Amino acid sequence: MEKRMLFVYNPKAGKAQIKSNLIDIIDIFVKAGYEVTAYPTQGPGDAVRAVKHRREGYDIVVCSGGDGTLDEVVTGMMQCEEKLPIGYVPAGSTNDFANSLGIPRGMSKAADVVVNGRSFACDIGAFNDDTFIYVAAFGIFTDVSYETRQDIKNMLGHTAYLLEGVKRLSSIKSYWMKISYDDVCLENEYIYGMITNSNSVGGFKGITGKDVELNDGLFEVTLVKKPANLLEMNNIIAALVDKRVHSDAFRSFKTSRITIESDQDVAWTLDGEFGGNHSMAVIENKSRALEIRVPE
């Protein structure tokens, strides 16, 4: 019996490279025995709806786009009773999570992984009533990915994030927070925090720590306290860029569940997209919640 695939793709992701690769990608899927239904997204949230309200009878859902497109597909799948395997053909500017999974950059090679690879049971993050797949973050630089215009991302790629991020240095904001995890409670003023399940964030490899496993039921958490002076701020920036530099402003640990409270609404980003303003965030690791196709 012929297998059925829902292929959801973002035609504007990255440098719109899907347009010149679409026929080859679908050809690979069809040759592997799939009847393919292709769905180009029309705007934010469209991939969530396409997956959540899909017709019955599909065997797999595949997406192509950036990490934001993958986030939407995963969010839609987590809202379904029947959770199908997910394939990913990266076409974004950074593709942090694809790199962590070992999915190749070439779109045809990534499509081949979908049909000839293996299924990997991956941890998924729950953020209040929302979902993320590899990073939830607040503070300095976190608005760069969703406030940088798509045409600039397409033209400059990863450089666009760096250029836009430099503009934020003169307007660093801090938040007084109460952070609870396991039997620990922290109270301090923070300028940045990220809860991750990835080897890289924003294209920076190794920034999330060592011994990262994507299916161990644990997040890697990094918190950065407010610097006391300009010299300390410089040390923080150097430590973010060069992992060998040490700064007492950093606190890193692993946990499966964390609660972050603030006396004001804080803007969060989930997988590079705006995740809303929250005075409380309850973040929980859903261990091995979804199967994602990865290389053998």
Side-chain angles (χ1 to χ4, degrees):
M1 181 181 293
E2 195 171 54
K3 299 168 290 186
R4 296 184 63 214
M5 173 192 293
L6 176 61
F7 179 43
V8 180
Y9 66 94
N10 180 356
K12 297 181 180 178
K15 298 180 179 180
Q17 55 185 312
I18 185 69
K19 293 180 180 179
S20 58
N21 289 273
L22 185 59
I23 293 175
D24 291 336
I25 291 170
I26 293 178
D27 186 56
I28 290 170
F29 295 155
V30 171
K31 280 184 168 63
Y34 284 95
E35 175 190 328
V36 181
T37 300
Y39 184 89
T41 59
Q42 304 300 303
D46 200 23
V48 177
R49 293 185 289 271
V51 173
K52 184 178 178 181
H53 302 302
R54 68 183 187 274
R55 300 194 311 272
E56 293 183 1
Y58 287 111
D59 298 283
I60 187 172
V61 173
V62 180
C63 67
S64 183
D67 290 329
T69 304
L70 177 63
D71 172 88
E72 288 197 10
V73 167
V74 168
T75 297
M77 191 66 73
M78 290 295 289
Q79 295 175 11
C80 299
E81 287 189 19
E82 182 188 13
K83 293 177 173 55
L84 302 178
I86 291 175
Y88 184 31
V89 180
S93 303
T94 306
N95 303 316
D96 283 309
F97 198 65
N99 293 333
S100 296
L101 291 170
I103 296 174
R105 292 187 64 86
M107 298 187 78
S108 293
K109 291 181 179 179
D112 184 72
V113 167
V114 172
V115 296
N116 292 314
R118 63 182 176 89
S119 290
F120 173 76
C122 185
D123 295 344
I124 301 297
F127 180 96
N128 292 345
D129 296 325
D130 210 336
T131 299
F132 67 97
I133 191 166
Y134 79 97
V135 61
F138 70 85
I140 183 174
F141 297 156
T142 55
D143 60 346
V144 170
S145 59
Y146 59 81
E147 287 198 355
T148 305
R149 296 202 326 265
Q150 185 64 55
D151 59 338
I152 294 177
K153 290 183 190 178
N154 291 350
M155 181 172 61
L156 298 178
H158 180 55
T159 307
Y161 292 96
L162 298 178
L163 293 175
E164 194 70 18
V166 169
K167 299 179 184 178
R168 305 293 195 272
L169 290 176
S170 61
S171 58
I172 295 171
K173 191 174 183 179
S174 61
Y175 307 92
W176 184 265
M177 290 178 158
K178 177 182 177 182
I179 299 176
S180 307
Y181 67 97
D182 302 336
D183 295 323
V184 180
C185 183
L186 307 173
E187 289 194 59
N188 216 314
E189 206 165 353
Y190 297 94
I191 63 169
Y192 181 74
M194 63 178 178
I195 297 87
T196 65
N197 189 44
S198 176
N199 289 310
S200 68
V201 172
F204 293 99
K205 294 183 179 179
I207 197 172
T208 60
K210 298 179 180 179
D211 305 318
V212 175
E213 298 288 344
L214 307 186
N215 63 347
D216 61 358
L218 297 172
F219 293 123
E220 284 68 40
V221 180
T222 301
L223 302 170
V224 183
K225 294 187 292 186
K226 180 183 178 181
N229 50 54
L230 186 59
L231 177 61
E232 197 168 294
M233 185 67 230
N234 288 337
N235 287 338
I236 289 171
I237 295 172
L240 285 170
V241 175
D242 185 348
K243 275 69 69 178
R244 294 171 298 178
V245 177
H246 177 72
S247 173
D248 293 332
F250 284 78
R251 186 181 182 109
S252 300
F253 53 90
K254 293 175 182 280
T255 187
S256 61
R257 192 177 192 274
I258 185 170
T259 301
I260 299 179
E261 302 172 74
S262 176
D263 58 1
Q264 59 180 302
D265 282 345
V266 177
W268 284 80
T269 177
L270 304 179
D271 296 336
E273 303 296 327
F274 181 56
N277 297 299
H278 307 271
S279 59
M280 174 179 280
V282 179
I283 305 167
E284 185 175 358
N285 188 299
K286 299 294 185 182
S287 181
R288 306 188 179 191
L290 283 181
E291 290 189 351
I292 298 180
R293 301 292 288 172
V294 298
E296 285 285 1

